[in-house]
């Protein structure tokens, strides 16, 4: 057989205007039919690939970001972009800042590709942090052009206003305007910043920036909210990224809560984006606005109504389970209960379908054979699996662990003549509640004198009052330190009607409920006091064993949120004890925080009497 007869030589070349020669390939295939579809190579000198990492901090989970860096080295991008929140920050302590930046640089050191820094609110939130950033990186906003693509790296923190209040100031706007004018002919513009300013108010010149971007091919990338969503707006794609190790409940794709890096391939038609989960790969439509509206912007479809026993240790209890389908497609629900130490319980339904725009209700029946007091009752878990069954697209499934617990009924009673001075002499005869849910290293806790507290509540025509009797033998106060890294009392108050407040998972802080953190600083002891939705009054009196506190929330605010005939309030209360000699704090909480994974809906409810 002649070798020449079996050798097929293919010389590929382009007859385009550039007359650029494509690669030559030799294929030894003797048959007329060929084992390929075509040989138009997916290759272009203008094409390139880069990666984007997102929030590492805001409650970082150790090890996740370095793992992402290792995976990027396997993928070999040409360079890596960021969208900020690289360190925990939020401090003026230069020793702490230096240590945090040193730690982050150690994460970047193994990266084989260039890494481009963009500031987030955790990195750039006060004058000290601003100076440190400029010491390390020179500027806080900049640009570069690579293969006819403009990369515009912005500083959404340029007015040092913190989370949820990002801005583009006048000086930065003039820079952006000049850069866009000088690079009017690029084929694409990619914008990177930390806070998604397109969903925030009072962003100074951001809307002017959007007006400049509207007429050109562009994409905008941000982070900050630790949840992914993509929006089509302003003639471009605006994408808020999830996390690369930052704080997250990690409830999955339907909630936009996952750890990922973005893999971007720049083509003539724009960037092609792949979301590389640390356990899989999804394209840029991993969460669309339609899915956000169906899943994330609505309460979880299954709720178990909290109950509050009048008797201290009832033998039998019953609660209503409600499954609400707010969609135009069928919703399948599967429920699975787990055993409980004290209660025997039964769900009347465990696997059923709720028709479109319909509600199914049934009973959860409980027996308490050991007559365990409600005050000693622990929670149990019902696993809820939800599947929306679509006809023209893949089904969407997600799940949630429903924590449930029957509660004792706590009254809040009317008083008169109350004065907020930190002295508890007016609280004789009040119903005091001890807070004994403790967390932290066991060897950091030395008993009740180290850290313990009890509280009581009352109301009158003008205020709702919380009194706290605190034992703490080692107060840790840092006048210039972070509010969250020293001794402090945290009080959450949700005055909305019970059907709303009971299922508050920590979202809408400041809008729907008050989060009040009070430290023992001599000046400005309250965290972000100017941004509280109501003027809260408080007073502290130091004692031989610790301190007593009184806090007053205006009745005007409570009636605004719950109506003049309000009947309940949801109260969350906890204490952070940072003893100077201990590595970590001891925390005391009445019930788990509302945004914690072990939150129990309906906990901390007080009923007006």
């Amino acid at each position: 057989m002649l070798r020449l007869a079996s050798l097929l030589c293919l010389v590929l070349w382009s007859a385009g205007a550039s007359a650029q020669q494509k690669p030559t390939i030799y294929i030894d295939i003797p048959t007329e039919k060929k084992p390929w579809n075509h040989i138009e190579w997916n290759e272009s000198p203008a094409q390139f690939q880069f990666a984007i990492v997102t929030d590492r901090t805001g409650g970082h989970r150790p090890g996740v970001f370095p793992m992402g860096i290792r995976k990027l080295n396997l993928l070999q991008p040409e360079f890596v972009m960021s969208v900020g929140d690289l360190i925990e920050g939020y401090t003026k302590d230069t020793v702490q800042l230096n240590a945090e930046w040193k730690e982050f640089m150690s994460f970047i050191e193994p990266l084989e590709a260039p890494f481009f820094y963009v500031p987030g609110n955790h990195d750039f939130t006060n004058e000290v942090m601003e100076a440190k950033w400029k010491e390390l990186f020179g500027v806080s906003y900049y640009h570069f052009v690579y293969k006819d693509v403009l990369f515009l790296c912005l500083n959404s923190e340029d007015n040092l206003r913190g989370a949820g209040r990002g801005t583009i100031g006048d000086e930065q706007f003039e820079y952006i305007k000049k850069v866009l004018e000088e690079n009017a002919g690029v084929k694409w513009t990619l914008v990177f910043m930390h806070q998604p300013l397109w969903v925030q108010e009072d962003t100074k010149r951001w809307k002017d920036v959007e007006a400049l971007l509207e007429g050109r091919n562009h994409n905008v990338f941000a982070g900050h909210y630790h949840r992914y969503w993509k929006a089509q707006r302003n003639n471009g794609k605006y994408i808020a990224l999830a996390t690369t190790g930052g704080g997250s409940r990690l409830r999955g794709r339907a909630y936009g809560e996952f750890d990922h890096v973005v893999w971007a391939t720049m083509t003539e038609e724009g960037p092609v984006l792949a979301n590389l989960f640390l356990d899989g790969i999804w394209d840029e439509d991993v969460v669309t606005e339609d899915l956000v509206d169906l899943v994330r912007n609505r309460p979880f479809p299954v709720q178990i109504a909290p109950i509050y026993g009048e008797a201290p240790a009832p033998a039998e209890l019953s609660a209503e389970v409600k499954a609400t389908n707010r969609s135009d497609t069928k919703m399948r629900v599967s429920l699975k209960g787990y055993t409980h130490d004290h209660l025997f319980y039964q769900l009347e339904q465990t696997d059923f379908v709720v028709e479109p725009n319909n509600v199914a209700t049934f009973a959860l029946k409980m027996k308490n054979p050991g007559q365990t007091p409600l005050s000693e009752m622990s929670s149990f878990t019902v696993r809820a699996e939800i599947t929306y069954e679509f006809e023209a697209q893949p089904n969407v499934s997600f799940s949630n662990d429903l924590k449930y617990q029957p509660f004792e009924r706590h009254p809040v009673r009317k008083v008169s003549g109350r004065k907020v001075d930190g002295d508890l002499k007016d609280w004789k005869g009040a119903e005091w509640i001890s807070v004994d849910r403790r967390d932290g290293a066991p060897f950091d806790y030395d008993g009740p004198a180290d850290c313990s507290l009890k509280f009581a509540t009352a109301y009158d025509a003008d205020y709702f009052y919380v009194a706290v009797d605190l034992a703490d033998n080692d107060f840790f106060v840092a006048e210039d330190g972070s509010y969250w890294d020293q001794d402090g009392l945290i009080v959450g108050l949700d005055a909305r009607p019970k059907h709303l407040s009971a299922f508050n998972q920590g979202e809408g802080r400041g809008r729907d409920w008050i989060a009040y953190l009070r430290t023992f600083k001599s000046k400005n002891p309250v965290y972000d006091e100017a941004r509280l939705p109501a003027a809260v009054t408080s007073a502290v009196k130091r004692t031989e064993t610790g301190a007593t506190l009184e806090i007053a929330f205006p009745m005007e605010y409570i009636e605004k949120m719950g109506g003049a005939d309000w009947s309940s309030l949801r109260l969350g209360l906890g204490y952070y004890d940072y003893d100077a000699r201990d590595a970590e704090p001891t925390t005391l909480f009445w019930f788990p925080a509302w945004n914690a994974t072990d939150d129990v809906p309906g906990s901390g409810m007080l009923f007006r009497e």
Side-chain angles (χ1 to χ4, degrees):
M1 180 184 294
L2 294 175
R3 182 66 177 167
L4 290 176
S6 64
L7 180 63
L8 173 64
C9 176
L10 299 175
V11 180
L12 306 179
W13 58 281
S14 171
S18 64
Q20 180 174 323
Q21 186 172 349
K22 290 186 176 180
T24 300
I25 182 170
Y26 295 91
I27 309 177
D28 188 358
I29 300 295
T31 60
E32 181 180 352
K33 297 295 184 181
K34 304 297 185 285
W36 57 74
N37 61 340
H38 63 79
I39 46 177
E40 292 296 322
W41 306 106
N42 185 15
E43 187 275 344
S44 165
Q47 185 169 301
F48 62 92
Q49 294 176 310
F50 65 96
I52 311 171
V53 298
T54 179
D55 296 42
R56 184 189 80 86
T57 52
H60 72 277
R61 287 165 286 115
V64 178
F65 191 88
M67 179 170 59
I69 294 297
R70 291 194 297 271
K71 293 198 172 189
L72 287 177
N73 281 339
L74 294 175
L75 295 167
Q76 290 291 299
E78 295 182 39
F79 53 90
V80 178
M81 303 299 299
S82 67
V83 291
D85 271 11
L86 308 175
I87 64 170
E88 287 293 352
Y90 269 99
T91 182
K92 294 182 179 181
D93 186 336
T94 56
V95 174
Q96 181 179 336
L97 274 179
N98 290 336
E100 291 184 0
W101 278 118
K102 182 179 179 181
E103 178 189 42
F104 184 78
M105 299 301 189
S106 72
F107 298 151
I108 296 301
E109 185 177 1
L111 181 64
E112 296 169 8
F115 183 89
F116 290 91
Y117 292 83
V118 168
N121 55 291
H122 277 262
D123 316 312
F124 198 102
T125 195
N126 57 51
E127 295 82 359
V128 175
M129 296 182 70
E130 179 181 16
K132 186 62 183 179
W133 179 278
K134 291 180 178 179
E135 173 191 330
L136 291 172
F137 309 118
V139 296
S140 63
Y141 52 87
Y142 58 97
H143 76 282
F144 63 91
V145 177
Y146 184 71
K147 294 188 178 181
D148 204 30
V149 176
L150 172 63
F151 288 76
L152 192 53
C153 303
L154 305 184
N155 179 8
S156 62
E157 319 306 317
D158 65 357
N159 280 271
L160 306 179
R161 300 202 312 191
R165 306 179 71 208
T167 60
I168 297 294
D170 291 337
E171 183 177 332
Q172 187 175 184
F173 172 75
E174 293 301 328
Y175 172 83
I176 295 167
K177 181 179 179 182
K178 183 173 184 291
V179 168
L180 293 177
E181 289 173 351
E182 292 176 350
N183 294 275
V186 295
K187 67 181 180 184
W188 218 272
T189 298
L190 301 178
V191 179
F192 300 85
M193 60 186 178
H194 181 63
Q195 300 200 50
L197 300 183
W198 64 91
V199 298
Q200 295 184 5
E201 302 294 332
D202 186 24
T203 53
K204 294 191 179 293
R205 303 302 300 275
W206 170 249
K207 292 188 183 302
D208 297 330
V209 175
E210 280 199 300
L212 297 177
L213 292 170
E214 183 179 8
R216 57 202 291 148
N217 295 326
H218 72 284
N219 291 60
V220 180
F221 300 94
H224 185 64
Y225 289 113
H226 296 200
R227 285 182 169 182
Y228 186 106
W229 78 89
K230 184 188 89 171
Q232 296 281 164
R233 56 177 284 117
N234 198 41
N235 196 33
K237 295 176 182 178
Y238 286 53
I239 301 179
L241 307 179
T243 53
T244 312
S248 175
R249 297 178 71 179
L250 296 179
R251 290 179 291 180
R253 183 171 70 93
Y255 287 94
E257 295 175 359
F258 42 76
D259 284 316
H260 70 134
V261 297
V262 177
W263 186 259
T265 300
M266 195 66 213
T267 71
E268 293 293 340
E269 290 74 35
V272 177
L273 305 177
N275 283 287
L276 308 185
F277 288 31
L278 298 188
D279 57 356
I281 299 175
W282 293 86
D283 67 13
E284 65 182 72
D285 288 322
V286 58
V287 179
T288 62
E289 288 181 305
D290 290 341
L291 191 56
V292 167
D293 184 58
L294 178 63
V295 177
R296 231 160 63 197
N297 288 342
R298 307 181 188 188
F300 189 77
V302 179
Q303 293 181 338
I304 310 175
I307 53 176
Y308 304 88
E310 298 286 353
E316 293 187 356
L317 299 152
S318 182
E320 181 184 74
V321 183
K322 181 184 290 187
T324 305
N325 184 358
R326 300 177 178 87
S327 75
D328 296 325
T329 189
K330 289 184 176 182
M331 182 182 79
R332 178 167 294 279
V333 180
S334 178
L335 303 177
K336 179 182 179 182
Y338 296 89
T339 58
H340 188 262
D341 291 339
H342 305 296
L343 294 174
F344 296 127
Y345 65 93
Q346 183 177 11
L347 293 154
E348 287 187 340
Q349 296 190 52
T350 58
D351 197 345
F352 55 95
V353 171
V354 185
E355 295 298 321
N357 300 298
N358 214 325
V359 178
T361 60
F362 52 92
L364 165 65
K365 296 185 176 180
M366 295 162 277
K367 291 186 177 181
N368 183 15
Q371 302 288 286
T372 302
L374 293 177
S375 60
E376 300 176 12
M377 195 72 69
S378 60
S379 65
F380 60 87
T381 300
V382 174
R383 179 75 171 176
E385 303 278 351
I386 306 295
T387 300
Y388 288 108
E389 299 180 340
F390 294 101
E391 294 182 1
Q393 66 185 79
N395 293 342
V396 171
S397 298
F398 56 104
S399 62
N400 198 10
D401 285 335
L402 306 179
K403 299 285 186 181
Y404 192 76
Q405 176 181 340
F407 301 104
E408 61 180 323
R409 187 179 181 89
H410 290 288
V412 54
R413 297 188 171 93
K414 191 170 185 179
V415 296
S416 60
R418 193 56 44 96
K419 182 180 180 182
V420 179
D421 56 9
D423 194 324
L424 303 185
K425 61 180 180 298
D426 295 334
W427 291 85
K428 294 178 181 179
E431 179 181 310
W432 290 89
I433 300 173
S434 295
V435 176
D436 52 13
R437 192 183 303 268
R438 189 177 70 252
D439 193 16
F443 46 80
D444 284 345
Y445 178 70
D446 300 325
D450 182 16
C451 179
S452 61
L453 67 87
K454 60 182 180 179
F455 72 95
T457 63
Y459 77 97
D460 60 20
D462 299 314
Y463 293 99
F464 165 69
Y465 302 95
V466 179
V468 177
D469 190 352
L470 170 68
D472 189 342
N473 60 7
D474 184 7
F475 279 107
F476 179 64
V477 180
E479 292 291 345
D480 295 324
S482 168
Y483 285 85
W484 301 97
D485 292 333
Q486 58 187 296
D487 287 359
L489 182 77
I490 179 77
V491 179
L493 178 67
D494 192 336
R496 294 176 297 167
K498 179 163 66 72
H499 71 280
L500 296 175
S501 63
F503 296 97
N504 175 3
Q505 293 185 308
E507 298 178 348
R509 183 181 70 182
R511 182 191 67 217
D512 297 329
W513 59 283
I514 292 178
Y516 183 80
L517 175 66
R518 198 199 195 285
T519 67
F520 297 91
K521 293 184 178 187
S522 59
K523 295 181 180 179
N524 302 318
V526 178
Y527 172 72
D528 225 357
E529 186 171 18
R531 294 183 63 187
L532 292 174
V536 180
T537 305
S538 66
V540 172
K541 182 178 179 181
R542 297 289 282 268
T543 66
E544 292 182 359
T545 57
T548 54
L549 301 87
E550 287 182 297
I551 305 169
F553 297 87
M555 190 55 60
E556 181 182 2
Y557 169 79
I558 290 171
E559 293 180 349
K560 173 186 173 183
M561 302 304 292
D565 58 347
W566 63 274
S567 60
S568 64
L569 300 170
R570 191 178 183 193
L571 184 72
L573 187 142
Y575 183 67
Y576 301 97
D577 181 30
Y578 281 86
D579 290 347
R581 66 187 181 281
D582 295 336
E584 297 293 335
T586 297
T587 61
L588 286 176
F589 271 78
W590 184 26
F591 287 102
W594 300 336
N595 62 346
T597 56
D598 54 351
D599 166 54
V600 184
S603 63
M605 199 69 69
L606 305 172
F607 294 91
R608 179 181 183 179
E609 289 192 356

